[in-house]
Amino acid sequence: MPFGYYPRMAWWSLFAGICTSVAPAVAVLLGAGLLGAAISLSLSTIIYSIFVFIDVLKIFSKENITISRPDFGFGIRNFFRSIFLAAQTLLEMVRQQGSRIILAPLAGVAEMAAFATMRTGANFALQGLNTVTSPIMPELMRFLASRDQARTESAFAIVWLVLCAVLSPAIVIVQWAAPALFPLWTHGKIAFDPWLFGMLSLGVSVLALAQPAAAVLQGNNILRAQLVNSMLAAIVAVGGMALLVPLMGVRGAAVALLAAELTSLSACVWVAQQWLREQGMHWPWKAFSAAAVAVPVTALGMVALELLPAGLTLAGLAVVLALQGLVAILYWRHLPALARARAASLLARFMPASLRPTVATVAPPPANGSSPKP
């Protein structure tokens, strides 16, 4: 939100998630059926929405925002413009969730269930990524609007630092532990496929790499590029499944989804760097290239874990994590001073007070290029 109330609204979103999760569960525990659970979900949604509406009205009053008469002409124009967003959202849904509809006739219900189950790990990683990227979006939009190159790169840096230092090692660790944990989770009903699991997880790392570029497109309402990007990715995903699933089974679906993510990454970066150049800014190629190294290192690490003998997998995991640590260090060295200070301050929040390092405040360079006053 442009007025700085994003954390407040995020807490309301957390409250909404708790209400919609707990209310149906309580209804079922009290003996309600499907209809009763649906009614409890609807009532909880109405109740928390009333409280949110009251809080938003208080914010309007505090910020001197008045409710004016509706401009139907403006609304109709925006309605037609929003068709691009609706189409783009539909294509994203086809790419992310439409795989189940395509897999059922191509691979069978049993294979589709296995695919959906093994995709749970990737979905969990995706939600974790969103908890990092979503709060950064409002700040990133403000930095882009003010054409602040230094702070824009610092916002990019947070996402890519999470990819290099957190997400990539977590993916490899889960890949190493999954063969033992997956049968316990599914009670042995679904066979674990490490190659399928690995490709689905790798797609999340590609998505993380593309997040800053996608944020540039979304934040600046570059609607046509978003629509074309989603269309290309959906064609690759759906077309790839139609071609590969009959040949490779559900692994073919994972390959198609990974190819779609790579297509989306290429398109987003190409459009984002063009837009930045038109605004007198530039795409941080050095930091992006350093962060991109994390994806193939993660992929090779997962392949190595599957090819090594069982007795050497722990040693292989240690080697892969060491390589990923080197990638994280390489990426850190390509960050500007402001981005390092921002990342260090965020990291300090998760450390005990006695261990927190002293982070120097780094001022961004003046917009006119002159030297700052002493």
Side-chain angles (χ1 to χ4, degrees):
M1 296 177 64
F3 297 98
Y5 292 96
Y6 183 90
R8 188 168 175 169
M9 293 296 104
W11 280 110
W12 276 119
S13 298
L14 175 62
F15 177 64
I18 294 173
C19 290
T20 54
S21 300
V22 172
V26 172
V28 172
L29 290 175
L30 294 177
L34 183 61
L35 178 60
I39 292 174
S40 66
L41 175 62
S42 300
L43 289 176
S44 64
T45 303
I46 292 171
I47 292 171
Y48 82 71
S49 296
I50 292 173
F51 286 105
V52 173
F53 184 72
I54 293 173
D55 189 49
V56 170
L57 287 179
K58 291 181 179 179
I59 293 175
F60 280 8
S61 176
K62 181 179 179 181
E63 300 294 338
N64 296 321
I65 300 175
T66 59
I67 300 177
S68 58
R69 293 182 59 185
D71 186 341
F72 291 103
F74 181 74
I76 291 173
R77 289 193 298 273
N78 279 344
F79 168 76
F80 286 108
R81 291 184 63 189
S82 68
I83 292 176
F84 286 100
L85 292 175
Q88 186 255 345
T89 302
L90 178 62
L91 290 170
E92 286 295 320
M93 291 175 61
V94 170
R95 178 166 59 121
Q96 297 294 338
Q97 308 298 333
S99 56
R100 301 176 185 177
I101 301 175
I102 299 169
L103 281 179
L106 291 177
V109 177
E111 291 293 319
M112 184 192 69
F115 179 87
T117 303
M118 271 179 274
R119 201 177 184 185
T120 303
N123 290 337
F124 181 78
L126 180 60
Q127 293 302 318
L129 175 66
N130 288 336
T131 62
V132 176
T133 58
S134 296
I136 296 174
M137 282 290 291
E139 291 187 357
L140 177 58
M141 296 308 99
R142 186 167 66 250
F143 300 153
L144 289 172
S146 60
R147 307 298 185 262
D148 191 330
Q149 178 71 40
R151 287 193 171 92
T152 297
E153 288 190 31
S154 72
F156 289 178
I158 301 301
V159 180
W160 288 333
L161 186 61
V162 170
L163 167 64
C164 295
V166 180
L167 185 61
S168 295
I171 287 174
V172 174
I173 292 173
V174 171
Q175 182 76 18
W176 171 76
L181 298 178
F182 192 81
L184 298 176
W185 177 40
T186 61
H187 299 282
K189 301 297 183 181
I190 297 176
F192 179 69
D193 186 339
W195 299 102
L196 173 61
F197 190 87
M199 284 187 287
L200 292 174
S201 300
L202 190 63
V204 179
S205 66
V206 177
L207 179 63
L209 186 63
Q211 283 298 295
V216 173
L217 272 64
Q218 295 171 7
N220 294 284
N221 292 324
I222 310 177
L223 302 181
R224 294 182 185 275
Q226 291 182 62
L227 180 60
V228 171
N229 176 38
S230 297
M231 189 180 301
L232 288 174
I235 290 173
V236 172
V238 175
M241 288 184 189
L243 291 174
L244 297 177
V245 170
L247 300 175
M248 304 171 59
V250 288
R251 290 183 180 179
V255 172
L257 290 176
L258 181 57
E261 293 295 349
L262 290 170
T263 302
S264 178
L265 167 66
S266 302
C268 285
V269 171
W270 185 72
V271 176
Q273 61 92 19
Q274 280 196 326
W275 184 88
L276 289 172
R277 185 172 62 244
E278 291 172 358
Q279 308 306 316
M281 303 171 68
H282 62 269
W283 179 257
W285 283 111
K286 289 185 177 180
F288 172 76
S289 301
V293 175
V295 177
V297 169
T298 301
L300 292 174
M302 289 191 292
V303 171
L305 290 178
E306 296 309 316
L307 296 180
L308 286 172
L312 297 177
T313 54
L314 184 58
L317 174 65
V319 172
V320 174
L321 292 177
L323 290 175
Q324 289 179 326
L326 292 176
V327 171
I329 293 173
L330 173 67
Y331 173 70
W332 183 265
R333 289 181 175 178
H334 282 84
L335 292 181
L338 179 63
R340 292 187 190 183
R342 175 83 183 283
S345 64
L346 290 176
L347 180 62
R349 296 180 184 179
F350 299 95
M351 300 175 62
S354 59
L355 299 178
R356 291 178 185 174
T358 302
V359 180
T361 302
V362 180
N368 59 5
S370 59
S371 302
K373 295 181 180 180

